[in-house]
Amino acid sequence: MGSTLLFALGLLAQSACAVDGEINVWPTPTPIVAASTGLCFGSLGLPWALPEPEPSILYPWRRGPAPGRVRRAWVIPPISVSENHKRLPYPLVQIKSDKQQLGSVIYSIQGPGVDEEPRNVFSIDKFTGRVYLNATLDREKTDRFRLRAFALDLGGSTLEEPTDLEIVVVDQNDNRPVFLQDVFRGRILEGAIPGTFVTRAEATDADDPETDNAALRFSILEQGTPEFFSIDEHTGEIRTVQVGLDREVVAVYNLTLQVADMSGDGLTATASAVISIDDVNDNAPEFTKDEFFMEAAEAVTGVDVGRLEVEDRDLPGSPNWVARFTILEGDPDGQFKIYTDPRTNEGVLSVIKPLDYESREQYELRVSVQNEAPLQAAAPRAQRGQTRVSVWVQDINEAPVFPENPLRTGIAEGAPPGTSVATFSARDPDTQQLQRISYSKDYDPEDWLQVDGATGRIQTQRVLSPASPFLKDGWYRAIILALDNAMPPSTATGTLSIEILEVNDHAPVLAPPPSGSLCSEPDQGPGLLLGATDEDLPPHGAPFHFQLNPRVPDLGRNWSISQINVSHARLRLRHQVSEGLHRLSLLLQDSGEPPQQREQTLNVTVCRCGTDGTCLPGAAALLAGGVGVSLGALVIVLASTVVLLVLILLAALRTRFRGQSRDKSLLHGLQEDLRDNILNYDEQGGGEEDQDAYDINQLRHPVEPRATSRSLGRPPLRRDAPFSYIPQPHRALPTSPSDIANFISDGLEAADSDPSVPPYDTALIYDYEGDGSVAGTLSSILTSLGDEDQDYDYLRDWGPRFARLADMYGHQ
């Protein structure tokens, strides 16, 4: 619809009509005719001033004649209706179309308030086109409605384009203003100047803020006298208006606030404002008395003597109220202290150093009090900011006192019984009382000491064992008691620490055992390191002094000793000496007072050394004494070695001279076979290449068939014989002595060539160490069947005692 609607409002007092595009306004509710558009609308008069008129008629679809001039469209103003209208249904406007006869047009409206929420607020008579208000309106919920009007013929066809209708709800003052809080709280320091901001009250009004219905004004209904506060009627800010706020007089102010709409003449609401006055230190603390009297016992500490009461009007518990006490004079030694009781704010006088009645019977203290927070500059000064405190000292029985506690003394170790240790006496502080002191032991774990009960003199009653478990780092601890005879008696405890003084009663000794080895060349090897120990404790032990015995002049010519550190020295050769065992006489001396000295024999073996400074392998027998072997054991070892070499030598000589006098010797050898003596030392294998044990039965019973032990399989081959060798069959047992000699000779040859039997003079190899050993052998099978090519020069490496054998059998 391109046309406008007629708004029938109770408040509209004018009518207008547009003819040929012109608008005319009448002061009376006269119908308005829109000639240019075929539209006519009117208004209703005021319902409370005039009788209810018929709703104006609007022809939104009327078409005028079509002259040549241009016609203007209507700007349709909103239809206004007051909220809370009670006379329902209430006619608002009537719509008519000039396209059909009356009764042949069907009218309808759509939009919020009709077919949208809130529904059924407006309705239209479909035949007459009258629009009605059917429900009470609330501007605070919906302030305007936008509807669309439709005109249809009886067949349901659209006669005109839809036309917009806007209905505006006119506000009424139907809502009271509301404070945002029931109670507004504020804080301000006491003594604040006028104009100081305290807090702000806030309120709202649901009515139209563009009207006086929501024009709010604030005020204070009640605050008591005097009136210290004011409120801004527009902003709600609360401020002070005069001086004189005193928390000690009034701590909290309760104000009754009001807000009214219609600029203060409409609806009202009330709330409360609670204003707390914050404390400042404007009151100094004061003592309740000019002088306090107290009593304190002597010889005790950490006890409370009395209380100093104070008054302060400031806020309890705050720094403006908490008291701090100072002793200004009368306590030069700092024997008293005053602390504050946090609950009562009283000063508590306490003794922190023991008092002595015999020295001073009364103390006069001058004490001051202040707050924890500084006092305001304008606050009045306290009249009783200081007071006097008189403390009387009470005399009690004090325990005896040891002048030196703990008492430290010393006594020599091994002191005999009756040796005086110390006099551990005490004094009685109660000089004005005649009292006697007695002494006793409280702790003496070894029961070593004896105490004179009258004098406190202490002496030993037996010898203290150095191995006592109660000796800690050379100190012995005992506890002595001193008891007076007062009623009740008092006891003092004293600690006696006795140092067991070390006595130099042991001489140093060589450690480890006095033996070693040196190279025969003076510049070879590191020398022999000598060390010493001493059973005495410092300072009677190290440093030790090593020296050669001056009573043996040859020692100083051939040997030298150089000090390394406090406990070690090094022995070296000055000149080359003969190889073998040498016995040196040494003197060892400690550093005690007086020093202790010991003469000790040192066994030193001199040997030939290699380039690395160690003895050569050939000197192993001579080094036996150098590794801690005694002289007797060395002689036994050397004798055993000589016997073994002689037996080996005899075996070699027998092989060389087996063609001479064989009958006797060989027959005799059958009865007393020396080979058993050679091989009985150990049998651990036949050698590096042959692990079969030596079988002496091969020579003792040559006639026994070999098949008894090995009858099956191929005969084993000797690992040190050529694999192509085939053993010869055994011969029959001879009967004559000459045949026996030849038989034995041939048997020896066969045994040397038999792969299953070790050679007669073979060396026993104790472990197989692989092929290519560099060690020598005694076996002749590796050389030849005779002794002509045997080399005995290696005997020279065994030392001077075997050099003669090497000369006899070695290469000339």
Side-chain angles (χ1 to χ4, degrees), residues 515-569:
S515 59
S517 61
L518 285 174
C519 294
S520 58
E521 295 293 335
D523 56 347
Q524 283 189 323
L528 181 60
L529 183 64
L530 304 178
T533 60
D534 197 327
E535 294 185 22
D536 293 321
L537 297 176
H540 301 300
F544 302 118
H545 304 282
F546 300 81
Q547 72 176 75
L548 298 168
N549 196 332
R551 296 195 301 269
V552 185
D554 291 342
L555 294 179
R557 289 193 292 268
N558 296 326
W559 308 83
S560 67
I561 293 181
S562 58
Q563 197 84 19
I564 297 178
N565 52 33
V566 296
S567 60
H568 289 78

Side-chain angles (χ1 to χ4, degrees), residues 94-390:
Q94 182 178 8
I95 302 173
K96 285 187 178 182
S97 174
D98 58 356
K99 290 232 178 152
Q100 298 286 349
Q101 295 292 330
L102 184 65
S104 62
V105 180
I106 298 176
Y107 300 97
S108 66
I109 54 176
Q110 295 180 358
V114 182
D115 56 353
E116 298 178 18
E117 293 295 337
R119 297 176 181 271
N120 302 321
V121 176
F122 304 99
S123 63
I124 188 171
D125 188 321
K126 64 181 180 179
F127 297 111
T128 63
R130 291 186 177 184
V131 179
Y132 294 92
L133 173 66
N134 300 319
T136 302
L137 298 178
D138 187 355
R139 192 206 65 83
E140 285 70 42
K141 293 182 178 179
T142 307
D143 61 348
R144 66 185 59 236
F145 296 88
R146 290 181 173 83
L147 308 179
R148 305 200 77 184
F150 300 89
L152 305 176
D153 60 14
L154 296 179
S157 299
T158 302
L159 295 176
E160 302 289 348
E161 292 295 325
T163 300
D164 293 331
L165 293 177
E166 184 175 8
I167 302 174
V168 177
V169 182
V170 179
D171 182 52
Q172 288 186 347
N173 190 18
D174 57 346
N175 290 280
R176 290 180 177 276
V178 177
F179 280 104
L180 297 184
Q181 300 173 211
D182 292 335
V183 179
F184 296 91
R185 299 186 181 276
R187 308 190 70 89
I188 189 172
L189 291 175
E190 61 176 331
I193 63 175
T196 303
F197 174 81
V198 179
T199 186
R200 179 181 178 184
E202 294 180 294
T204 60
D205 195 316
D207 291 324
D208 189 355
E210 302 298 328
T211 66
D212 283 347
N213 298 334
L216 304 182
R217 298 294 183 267
F218 297 92
S219 62
I220 298 177
L221 294 182
E222 183 181 355
Q223 62 172 314
T225 55
E227 296 182 352
F228 287 103
F229 306 97
S230 66
I231 188 169
D232 188 299
E233 63 175 354
H234 296 284
T235 64
E237 291 184 353
I238 301 175
R239 297 177 179 271
T240 60
V241 293
Q242 60 177 318
V243 297
L245 289 174
D246 189 353
R247 191 207 65 84
E248 288 74 39
V249 176
V250 179
V252 178
Y253 289 87
N254 293 292
L255 281 64
T256 302
L257 307 180
Q258 175 182 281
V259 61
D261 58 13
M262 299 296 291
S263 299
D265 297 328
L267 302 177
T268 62
T270 60
S272 297
V274 178
I275 301 174
S276 300
I277 309 303
D278 289 339
D279 184 56
V280 296
N281 192 14
D282 55 349
N283 295 279
E286 297 183 354
F287 288 103
T288 59
K289 297 180 182 180
D290 294 329
E291 187 172 3
F292 293 86
F293 298 93
M294 304 176 184
E295 291 183 349
E298 68 169 335
V300 293
T301 59
V303 296
D304 295 339
V305 176
R307 290 175 171 261
L308 307 178
E309 187 178 357
V310 295
E311 292 179 344
D312 195 320
R313 299 176 60 200
D314 290 318
L315 180 64
S318 68
N320 303 324
W321 175 80
V322 175
R324 291 291 181 262
F325 301 88
T326 305
I327 299 177
L328 300 178
E329 60 183 34
D331 185 24
D333 299 326
Q335 295 174 293
F336 297 95
K337 177 184 177 181
I338 303 178
Y339 66 90
T340 304
D341 186 334
R343 185 178 58 87
T344 63
N345 208 29
E346 295 175 327
V348 181
L349 182 64
S350 176
V351 178
I352 59 175
K353 291 183 180 180
L355 306 176
D356 186 10
Y357 175 82
E358 288 72 24
S359 300
R360 188 171 180 179
E361 299 181 7
Q362 183 182 6
Y363 290 85
E364 292 289 341
L365 309 178
R366 189 163 64 91
V367 181
S368 67
V369 61
Q370 299 86 26
N371 286 129
E372 191 175 84
L375 188 67
Q376 291 289 317
R381 298 298 171 181
Q383 297 181 354
R384 290 180 178 174
Q386 296 183 8
T387 189
R388 293 192 309 274
V389 180
S390 296

Side-chain angles (χ1 to χ4, degrees), residues 629-643:
V629 181
S630 63
L631 182 59
L634 180 61
V635 171
I636 294 174
V637 172
L638 291 176
S640 301
T641 305
V642 171
V643 171

